[in-house]
Amino acid sequence: MAKQSKKSAQRQGSQAHVNRREDVLERAGELMAAKGYEGTSMRDIASAVGMLPGSLYYHFPSKEALFLALHERVVSEMAHRVANALEGVEDPWDRLEAASRAHLEGLLQAGNLVAIVSPEFLGDGHEISAAIHAERRSYEAVFRALVDALPLPDEIDRRLLRLHLFGALNWTPTWYESGKGANPSDIAHQIVTVFRYAFEDRH
């Protein structure tokens, strides 16, 4: 019984650690999205979650490590969402639309965390910029493959098409109002349809 109680206590302690870590990431994301990376200190984050600053370092050894974990979580959630949306979809244009819809839904549900994954958020001057860019490139590679699979005329620059698509999708959170006008699915459909019909009309 004593061993069983000890294992149960260890499991509870481990889960409490995970929950506390998630609380820290959530509050850190809110603060950084509002005040910027440089404008948010570890002391600010500790205060927001009701911890002593020293206790925060038990979960994350530095602000850089915390931000990397936060960025990785946001990007991983987006990637998982897109992967699920692509299951069972075969037509290249339909696949691009499904991925675009999932991407847009993820952006809108992330709220202020959208700022965290913006290429401009950190810039290139930080020592963790390379790791951040690598995560972002890994995610964008999915869309690169989707665009490469499209039946397009040879003169079309697929890189520019992908950048145009991301620009349209990533700008949406700045003007979107939930419950007013088109929903995320309609918006993604409209954006992809514009490209699709423009190129299909040329054949």
Side-chain angles (χ1 to χ4, degrees):
M1 285 293 286
K3 288 184 178 179
Q4 206 168 25
S5 298
K6 185 176 181 180
K7 288 182 179 179
S8 177
Q10 288 175 337
R11 283 195 297 268
Q12 291 176 359
S14 177
Q15 186 59 47
H17 174 76
V18 171
N19 293 341
R20 196 61 167 153
R21 189 176 189 275
E22 289 302 306
D23 288 342
V24 170
L25 287 174
E26 183 174 347
R27 294 297 291 132
E30 294 172 357
L31 289 172
M32 289 183 179
K35 301 170 61 177
Y37 178 82
E38 298 294 348
T40 304
S41 68
M42 291 290 272
R43 185 175 295 276
D44 293 333
I45 298 168
S47 176
V49 293
M51 297 173 62
L52 293 173
S55 300
L56 183 57
Y57 287 95
Y58 170 71
H59 298 277
F60 300 98
S62 65
K63 188 169 74 169
E64 290 82 2
L66 191 158
F67 183 79
L68 283 172
L70 176 62
H71 189 274
E72 181 182 10
R73 188 181 75 165
V74 175
V75 173
S76 294
E77 289 176 354
M78 296 283 286
H80 183 68
R81 183 186 294 272
V82 169
N84 285 341
L86 290 173
E87 288 187 4
V89 183
E90 297 183 1
D91 178 81
W93 283 105
D94 290 343
R95 285 175 62 79
L96 182 63
E97 181 177 330
S100 298
R101 180 177 63 251
H103 176 80
L104 184 54
E105 289 174 347
L107 288 180
L108 295 174
Q109 289 185 20
N112 288 339
L113 288 181
V114 170
I116 298 296
V117 294
S118 168
E120 294 79 25
F121 189 75
L122 273 186
D124 296 318
H126 291 269
E127 59 184 43
I128 59 173
S129 295
I132 296 300
H133 292 329
E135 285 182 0
R136 192 176 295 122
R137 284 195 299 271
S138 177
Y139 175 72
E140 291 176 355
V142 176
F143 283 84
R144 186 178 298 110
L146 292 171
V147 171
D148 286 347
L150 295 175
L152 299 174
D154 292 339
E155 67 269 23
I156 298 301
D157 188 324
R158 294 173 187 264
R159 176 179 177 275
L160 288 180
L161 174 59
R162 175 172 52 83
L163 292 176
H164 288 325
L165 175 65
F166 269 126
L169 293 171
N170 293 346
W171 184 252
T172 302
T174 63
W175 56 262
Y176 179 78
E177 293 185 67
S178 180
K180 296 182 180 180
N183 60 39
S185 180
D186 294 333
I187 295 169
H189 175 71
Q190 180 72 29
I191 292 172
V192 175
T193 297
V194 167
F195 291 117
R196 181 173 188 170
Y197 283 5
F199 296 126
E200 285 186 342
D201 287 345
R202 298 180 60 178
H203 292 305

